[in-house]
Amino acid sequence: MAQRKLEEVVKEPFGVPVYYFASTEEAMLRAAAAYVKKALLESGADSEVTRLDGPAPDMGEVIASAGAISFFGTPRVVELREIQPSSIKDKDAEELATLFGELENAVLVVTTLYKDKKAATSKKAKALFEAAAN
């Protein structure tokens, strides 16, 4: 997401269900995720961030974190940090892509650090990125 578009989107940070950042630059990924998390937390929704680290987060934890309704009814913020599509089982990748389209009371902040261009153009990587964009 270009910086200008990102600045526009985070004016209403809970209006986007999935923020998906992918790059070969770790510092850029962390900065983008931090920017979005800050906007989400400062929006006045009293949300917390649940962080699940990659390369292949447990899908049960992801679904539980994203699907749990907070006691106060505030939206959930779940960070999937530095996932690696190539490390995620095919079934789990499909489940994650489906989850992207079914979020109701959660926002996912997803970062993917690619080792090289080949990893970025894999079938799973493209499928996850496209699902997040829809």
Side-chain angles (χ1 to χ4, degrees), residues 20-24 29 80 82-85 110-114:
Y20 194 112
F21 302 102
S23 178
T24 56
L29 284 177
L80 301 180
E82 296 182 18
I83 66 168
Q84 295 292 323
V110 184
T111 58
T112 298
L113 180 63
Y114 293 123

Side-chain angles (χ1 to χ4, degrees), residues 23-24 84 113-122:
S23 178
T24 56
Q84 295 292 323
L113 180 63
Y114 293 123
K115 295 177 184 178
D116 54 36
K117 248 187 170 168
K118 184 178 179 184
T121 58
S122 73

Side-chain angles (χ1 to χ4, degrees), residues 5-128:
K5 176 149 172 100
L6 183 59
E7 289 171 0
E8 189 66 32
V9 169
V10 296
K11 288 179 182 176
E12 294 289 333
F14 286 97
V16 175
V18 180
Y19 291 90
Y20 194 112
F21 302 102
S23 178
T24 56
E25 301 288 328
E26 184 175 359
M28 188 173 80
L29 284 177
R30 290 196 179 181
Y35 182 78
V36 169
K37 288 186 297 184
K38 181 180 179 200
L40 289 163
L41 295 175
E42 290 179 349
S43 71
D46 281 338
S47 294
E48 311 180 345
V49 176
T50 300
R51 185 174 121 185
L52 303 172
D53 291 324
D58 178 271
M59 281 307 298
E61 286 183 60
V62 173
I63 291 169
S65 296
I69 296 177
S70 121
F71 181 71
F72 299 104
T74 57
R76 308 279 305 177
V77 177
V78 181
E79 178 182 19
L80 301 180
R81 188 168 181 235
E82 296 182 18
I83 66 168
Q84 295 292 323
S86 61
S87 297
I88 300 173
K89 295 176 187 171
D90 290 345
K91 182 181 177 197
D92 288 348
E94 289 174 19
E95 199 170 5
L96 184 57
T98 300
L99 178 66
F100 288 169
E102 295 177 348
L103 295 170
E104 291 184 24
N105 196 41
V107 171
L108 297 181
V109 180
V110 184
T111 58
T112 298
L113 180 63
Y114 293 123
K115 295 177 184 178
D116 54 36
K117 248 187 170 168
K118 184 178 179 184
T121 58
S122 73
K123 183 178 176 182
K124 258 191 269 188
K126 286 181 180 179
L128 287 174

